[in-house]
Amino acid sequence: MSALLRIRAGRDQMSAIERRIADFILDNAQLLRDYSSQQLANALGISQSSVVKFCQKLGFKGYPDLKYAVGEAMARAGNGDDADVEAGSEASADGGLAGDLWRRKSQAEEETRSINPPRAIEAVAQAIAGAAESGKVFIIGLGEDDIHARSFALKLSLLGILTVHNFDTAHMTASVSAAGRHDVLLVFSEQGKQPSLCQIGHQFRECGGKVISITRHTSNPLRAYAHLALLVSAHDDRPSIEALLYHSALQHLLDRIFVLLCEGGREAQLQANLERIQPMLEH
């Protein structure tokens, strides 16, 4: 695991000061080579010993080792870009862009996988399976988040799991008023900051149900209301590319849950439903 990935993966378990150091390094990795540990401490208004302890907590001997590891990670990324340029005479520009996009998607999926360990994915799958046996699965997402919410609701329906999907907060507020302790609510929100979704999550908890949030790997209000949190890590300086990385990493995360549910004894139900639907698609 690269130094930058290790920092991202461990950020949620860090103290407030450690998160400040982590965020500075992640946002300014290319500048770190010009900073001594004292200069970094001065830039953040903290003690030099805090920087050293941060490095040691990540498994490095000290700041020089961390700086070297970050430099290596940046160099590897740079070498990958250079390889595309050298291959330009043999491949089209579109092929170079495709290769770069594929690598960045792979990196986002790797980072997302590292911050959602198997036990976390299994816990979400078990919560959904439990709701399927004795209750319902409520699903909501607004705007672009509804793309994944709607798709996942369809997949759960194909497995024979009763879902209540909505993209209207007023309707969902009315729906969750009838929720109980056997029900589960999945809330899709990239930034996790919409007050209406936080209110629905709070209401669902008061009804005794279990809330699962799906957001970026950041501190956000929605996660505070969640019993379980799925996290997506996707970073790029270009907004258009970052959006693609987010959707790709999130889809891979949801696919892992879907496969676990299938392997939990719902494969036959999926096949039966697909056979029922196929004639409708052919006419």
Side-chain angles (χ1 to χ4, degrees):
M1 184 184 298
S2 74
L4 295 176
L5 179 53
R6 198 184 307 180
I7 292 171
R8 285 198 184 103
R11 187 185 181 281
D12 277 0
Q13 286 71 50
M14 295 178 183
S15 66
I17 289 178
E18 289 168 344
R19 283 198 297 271
R20 286 174 61 194
I21 300 172
D23 291 342
F24 183 89
I25 293 174
L26 292 173
D27 292 340
N28 303 280
Q30 71 280 7
L31 303 177
L32 201 64
R33 64 184 179 184
D34 299 323
Y35 277 74
S36 66
S37 58
Q38 186 60 63
Q39 287 173 321
L40 177 58
N42 292 342
L44 294 172
I46 59 177
S47 67
Q48 186 179 23
S49 62
S50 295
V51 174
V52 175
K53 289 177 182 177
F54 171 84
C55 300
Q56 293 172 341
K57 186 173 182 178
L58 288 172
F60 298 99
K61 293 180 180 180
Y63 178 74
D65 284 345
L66 171 63
K67 185 162 72 167
Y68 178 78
V70 170
E72 266 196 333
M74 296 296 293
R76 281 197 297 270
N79 287 339
D81 292 339
D82 292 342
D84 283 342
V85 174
E86 292 171 4
S89 59
E90 300 178 4
S92 66
D94 180 67
L97 290 173
D100 178 63
L101 182 59
W102 180 85
R103 278 193 302 276
R104 293 183 183 280
K105 282 186 176 182
S106 297
Q107 182 182 7
E109 289 168 8
E110 179 187 353
E111 292 179 5
T112 298
R113 189 164 59 248
S114 71
I115 58 178
N116 294 278
R119 65 180 182 276
I121 301 299
E122 291 166 5
V124 171
Q126 289 170 4
I128 294 174
E133 297 298 329
S134 308
K136 300 178 292 297
V137 177
F138 294 78
I139 302 179
I140 187 170
L142 306 180
E144 286 197 17
D145 291 309
D146 184 55
I147 296 172
H148 291 284
R150 184 185 299 272
S151 175
F152 196 61
L154 174 59
K155 284 185 170 66
L156 294 186
S157 297
L158 290 173
L159 296 178
I161 298 175
L162 179 59
T163 62
V164 179
H165 165 252
N166 213 314
F167 55 86
D168 183 284
T169 54
H171 288 175
M172 184 57 87
T173 298
S175 297
V176 302
S177 64
R181 62 187 182 89
H182 297 297
D183 298 328
V184 166
L185 169 67
L186 277 76
V187 187
F188 288 76
S189 176
E190 181 175 352
Q191 305 301 333
K193 296 179 180 179
Q194 293 101 323
S196 57
L197 295 182
C198 292
Q199 180 180 342
I200 289 172
H202 178 65
Q203 179 186 349
F204 201 83
R205 286 188 65 120
E206 288 188 330
C207 293
K210 182 171 290 186
V211 179
I212 300 172
S213 65
I214 302 96
T215 70
R216 275 190 172 275
H217 183 218
T218 58
S219 297
N220 59 74
L222 184 59
R223 287 178 61 185
Y225 293 104
H227 296 88
L228 299 170
L230 293 175
L231 306 170
V232 179
S233 178
H235 307 276
D236 196 277
D237 293 335
R238 298 161 293 178
S240 58
I241 299 299
E242 186 170 56
L244 297 176
L245 302 186
Y246 178 83
H247 289 298
S248 176
L250 173 54
Q251 187 59 59
H252 186 72
L253 183 61
L254 297 176
D255 288 345
R256 291 171 63 190
I257 298 169
F258 180 72
V259 169
L260 281 178
L261 290 170
C262 288
E263 293 177 347
R266 296 184 176 275
E267 194 81 46
Q269 181 68 62
L270 173 63
Q271 185 61 37
N273 280 331
L274 290 175
E275 291 176 357
R276 293 189 187 98
I277 293 172
Q278 190 57 40
M280 301 178 188
L281 301 177
E282 295 174 350
H283 298 287

